[in-house]
Amino acid sequence: MTVQTPDPETTTPPAPGAAPAWSADDLRDDPHAKADKARRVRDMFAAIAGKYDLNNRLHSFGRDQAWRRTAVKMAQLKPGDRVLDVACGTGDLTIAMEQGLWTNDDTAGGWAPATNQVIGIDFTFPMLPLAKQKNRRRENGRETVAFLNGDALALPFPDQSFDVVSIAFGLRNVADPAAAVAEFARVLRPGGRLVILEFSTPRNPVLRWGSRLYCEKVMPWTATWVARDRSGAYRYLPRSVATFLDGPATVALLKQSGFAEARLKSLSFGVATCYAATRA
Ligand SMILES: C[S@@+](CC[C@H](N)C(=O)[O-])C[C@H]1O[C@@H](n2cnc3c(N)ncnc32)[C@H](O)[C@@H]1O
């Protein structure tokens, strides 16, 4: 499989003073129904790429990496598995998957994933050099993961080319989640596993109220003043979670799309949910 890795020198962050990807007006209606959702999502992530990790750690109180570790566990990795992490962003789940492959191999002793065994793909180019640098830093300059620029809705891989497909906080952001899940089914071999990590709304009314207060009032403020976000990303986030598929609807989508044994695990009192399913 030929893969291209991005060159950090060629990243193109949005022009200073560019209009926010999501204004308060844009978010009055369902953001998933916007005809130009893909363009807005890409502009938004291009604008926040450099501060993305800081925002994640800050706003999840550091829980986001624990949620990704749960996703790795639910992927039930086996030595030799080929893994595709879609909407990889700055590569946290991609790198965790690669680490998971190492630690799941009891025969270890010098064994390392083969070239292009673990691939991250994302359609926002400025995320990818950050992912690549993070992987290199952790691996003392070696590149153990390939990062590609590409679209979840048209994955540049043949049918049945992966054992595991993962997506963290990405399904809600694609323009057509059902088409993305169908594309994941296409590139997975029968028996391959799909793991989806996504934000969700707590079921308990008190927690739901607290989570709403935090996401709608506190987070946009800290994102603007601490992480200097001007893209509207942290107004879009709670709105896009509130209007997205809930747990049962996501499980139903997986079943309709050729997946069996779909199950979910609620994380941090329902703030996030991890789904795992097997390609039938
Ligand atoms: C919230 S970030 C998640 C990044 C990463 N998975 C993580 O765990 O931090 C969502 C990512 O989805 C990507 N994305 C959205 N739609 C996409 C698409 N159609 N194809 C590829 N990537 C997409 C965005 O560019 C962004 O990097």
Side-chain angles (χ1 to χ4, degrees):
M1 209 182 297
T2 311
V3 296
Q4 291 168 334
T5 49
D7 176 359
E9 302 303 318
T10 63
T11 52
T12 48
W22 299 96
S23 69
D25 254 8
D26 295 328
L27 293 169
R28 267 187 238 295
D29 308 319
D30 178 356
H32 304 296
K34 290 269 183 227
D36 58 352
K37 178 184 169 191
R39 193 225 6 112
R40 287 170 187 270
V41 164
R42 198 182 343 220
D43 287 354
M44 172 181 85
F45 284 109
I48 63 170
K51 291 281 169 45
Y52 178 76
D53 286 354
L54 169 67
N55 272 303
N56 271 352
R57 305 296 183 269
L58 179 73
H59 293 122
S60 73
F61 303 102
R63 293 310 297 156
D64 61 315
Q65 290 290 58
W67 298 335
R68 291 187 187 89
R69 285 195 291 276
T70 299
V72 173
K73 274 196 201 125
M74 288 179 76
Q76 300 179 330
L77 296 170
K78 296 175 192 62
D81 273 353
R82 292 153 302 164
V83 181
L84 176 67
D85 182 38
V86 182
C88 64
T90 55
D92 280 335
L93 182 59
T94 331
I95 291 168
M97 285 285 177
E98 191 259 358
Q99 301 283 318
L101 272 172
W102 270 91
T103 45
N104 275 13
D105 186 0
D106 343 320
T107 59
W111 176 86
T115 313
N116 299 337
Q117 189 178 340
V118 181
I119 296 177
I121 189 164
D122 199 290
F123 79 168
T124 304
F125 189 82
M127 288 287 201
L128 298 169
L130 300 168
K132 191 173 165 170
Q133 280 159 13
K134 189 183 290 175
N135 177 228
R136 275 207 200 123
R137 255 198 323 271
R138 290 179 62 107
E139 300 289 340
N140 295 321
R142 287 184 316 129
E143 273 174 35
T144 55
V145 175
F147 289 104
L148 279 183
N149 199 196
D151 193 337
L153 299 176
L155 293 169
F157 306 106
D159 296 355
Q160 303 188 11
S161 34
F162 293 95
D163 302 285
V164 173
V165 170
S166 60
I167 181 164
F169 312 113
L171 191 62
R172 173 177 41 87
N173 287 303
V174 301
D176 185 344
V181 172
E183 191 61 353
F184 304 158
R186 181 186 69 76
V187 299
L188 272 172
R189 65 161 175 81
R193 283 92 64 207
L194 171 64
V195 178
I196 300 171
L197 180 59
E198 196 45 88
F199 286 116
S200 45
T201 306
R203 292 171 64 117
N204 177 300
V206 178
L207 290 175
R208 196 164 55 233
W209 176 82
S211 159
R212 218 177 135 183
L213 183 74
Y214 174 68
C215 291
E216 291 180 8
K217 304 287 178 218
V218 181
M219 211 167 57
W221 190 87
T222 48
T224 305
W225 296 108
V226 181
R228 300 271 171 238
D229 173 53
R230 300 277 183 275
S231 68
Y234 293 87
R235 282 191 303 261
Y236 161 82
L237 173 59
R239 191 80 186 114
S240 67
V241 173
T243 49
F244 192 59
L245 305 174
D246 62 7
T250 304
V251 168
L253 171 63
L254 293 174
K255 288 184 176 160
Q256 283 155 23
S257 311
F259 287 93
E261 300 164 24
R263 62 190 200 285
L264 63 82
K265 187 175 168 63
S266 178
L267 304 168
S268 301
F269 306 105
V271 170
T273 301
C274 193
Y275 305 84
T278 305
R279 170 84 164 84

